[in-house]
């Protein structure tokens, strides 16, 4: 754990590992997005047809492409130049998507109330000044707009969390540790590298207090679970799914 890491270090490491990370993505993202996050996000988003949507932290652009195919006009923002290069290469020119480089902590180049809907998929935990980013999302939304964001579940994915296994490798239980620590930590999942990804952990209380202080109203909190159809496709998740890996907020302005 290292509280001294800032967002700039997270950016450097995402640029370094962008190609390796994106290599595991199909047009529906990686397996965890397919199993847990996409069904939840699409359900909460409802219809996006004709809406101005900000994909806040778009990465290699899979969600931007999904939303555009559903009729949205999409701006994808990411702080990793390398991820944006990959997104542009993977995006057909026929789709109504524009990509811009930017850190969600400061999007002052965008005008107030520019978007009907903002979605941020697994990004807020990559920011040291997440409160500034959430305030920016409030500024950029029209009145009555929605901000939907997903994060690693702060109660279960903590610095030091992980499977405790028997001597023969059987998974016994999921250990949670250091829940009240708030700050940066390094995580090798899903990559095994010398310079790991940098995440920033906060408590659930901190997240809730921050969105309320920004002015948002919490409409829904969802802890995604795989559907029976998904479990038929990926039966291994039946055994592994013992706690929630993700938490999704739906906020109203």
């Amino acid at each position: 754990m290292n509280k001294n890491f800032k967002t700039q270090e997270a950016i450097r490491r995402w640029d370094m590992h962008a190609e390796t990370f994106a290599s595991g993505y199909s047009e529906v993202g990686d397996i965890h997005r397919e199993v847990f996050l996409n069904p939840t996000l699409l359900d909460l988003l409802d219809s996006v047809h004709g809406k101005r949507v900000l994909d806040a932290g778009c990465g290699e652009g899979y969600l931007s492409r999904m939303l555009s195919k559903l009729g949205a006009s999409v701006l994808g923002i990411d702080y990793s130049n390398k991820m944006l290069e990959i997104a542009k290469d993977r995006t057909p020119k026929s789709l109504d998507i524009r990509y811009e480089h930017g850190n969600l902590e400061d999007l002052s180049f965008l005008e107030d109330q520019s978007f009907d809907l903002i979605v941020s998929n697994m990004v807020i935990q990559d920011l040291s000044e997440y409160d500034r980013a959430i305030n920016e999302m409030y500024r950029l939304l029209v009145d009555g707009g929605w901000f939907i964001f997903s994060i690693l579940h702060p109660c279960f994915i903590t610095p030091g969390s992980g499977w405790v296994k028997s001597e023969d490798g059987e998974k016994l239980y999921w250990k949670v540790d250091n829940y009240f620590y708030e700050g940066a930590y390094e995580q090798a999942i899903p990559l095994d590298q010398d310079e790991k990804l940098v995440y920033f952990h906060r408590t659930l209380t901190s997240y809730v207090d921050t969105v309320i202080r920004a002015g948002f109203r919490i409409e829904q909190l969802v802890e995604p679970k795989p559907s029976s159809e998904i479990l038929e496709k990926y039966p291994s998740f039946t055994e592994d799914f013992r706690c929630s890996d993700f938490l999704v907020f739906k906020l109203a302005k």
Side-chain angles (χ1 to χ4, degrees):
M1 293 185 290
N2 189 334
K3 287 191 175 183
N4 295 321
F5 283 146
K6 299 297 182 185
T7 299
Q8 198 59 39
E9 180 62 19
I11 295 171
R12 186 183 73 80
R13 298 195 191 190
W14 273 114
D15 275 334
M16 179 186 303
H17 300 296
E19 289 187 357
T20 303
F21 200 87
S23 68
Y25 274 52
S26 69
E27 280 304 293
V28 293
D30 65 5
I31 190 170
H32 288 90
R33 283 159 175 76
E34 181 183 358
V35 171
F36 296 102
L37 292 167
N38 294 348
T40 300
L41 292 173
L42 293 175
D43 182 60
L44 293 176
L45 287 167
D46 199 11
S47 174
V48 299
H49 186 79
K51 292 184 178 178
R52 299 168 298 165
V53 177
L54 174 63
D55 186 357
C58 61
E60 57 78 64
Y62 93 90
L63 186 58
S64 292
R65 294 188 289 275
M66 289 178 67
L67 295 174
S68 178
K69 290 174 184 177
L70 292 172
S73 176
V74 182
L75 173 62
I77 296 279
D78 204 89
Y79 63 20
S80 167
N81 277 308
K82 190 61 183 176
M83 277 293 194
L84 287 173
E85 290 176 16
I86 297 169
K88 291 173 183 177
D89 287 343
R90 293 184 175 185
T91 299
K93 295 187 183 300
S94 58
L95 295 180
D96 187 7
I97 302 173
R98 179 167 56 94
Y99 292 110
E100 295 275 357
H101 180 257
N103 181 347
L104 303 189
E105 296 165 343
D106 181 7
L107 297 178
S108 52
F109 64 93
L110 296 176
E111 295 183 0
D112 295 358
Q113 300 191 32
S114 295
F115 300 98
D116 305 303
L117 174 66
I118 298 175
V119 59
S120 185
N121 191 20
M122 300 299 293
V123 178
I124 300 297
Q125 73 257 332
D126 298 340
L127 305 170
S128 62
E129 298 183 64
Y130 75 112
D131 51 341
R132 290 183 61 194
I134 289 171
N135 283 323
E136 280 288 78
M137 300 306 103
Y138 189 86
R139 178 183 69 82
L140 292 170
L141 267 180
V142 299
D143 291 341
W146 301 102
F147 175 36
I148 297 169
F149 74 92
S150 62
I151 53 174
L152 293 169
H153 200 305
C155 300
F156 302 112
I157 310 298
T158 65
S161 65
W163 286 107
V164 173
K165 299 180 180 180
S166 66
E167 291 183 0
D168 61 2
E170 179 187 359
K171 294 175 180 176
L172 300 176
Y173 61 90
W174 181 265
K175 179 190 72 172
V176 174
D177 200 4
N178 299 307
Y179 172 70
F180 287 103
Y181 167 82
E182 298 212 357
Y185 69 104
E186 296 176 288
Q187 179 61 272
I189 297 173
L191 308 173
D192 184 15
Q193 70 260 340
D194 292 333
E195 286 201 283
K196 303 174 177 66
L197 297 176
V198 175
Y199 295 135
F200 299 88
H201 181 262
R202 295 105 190 176
T203 65
L204 180 57
T205 296
S206 291
Y207 276 113
V208 171
D209 285 350
T210 298
V211 300
I212 291 173
R213 282 198 305 270
F216 284 111
R217 182 178 73 252
I218 298 174
E219 289 292 310
Q220 282 183 260
L221 283 176
V222 181
E223 295 166 307
K225 297 186 293 185
S227 67
S228 56
E229 292 79 12
I230 284 288
L231 289 176
E232 288 182 11
K233 184 176 181 180
Y234 300 110
S236 64
F237 281 97
T238 304
E239 176 188 349
D240 291 344
F241 188 65
R242 304 187 198 177
C243 62
S244 180
D245 291 339
F246 308 104
L247 183 63
V248 185
F249 286 77
K250 182 174 183 177
L251 310 176
K253 178 176 178 180

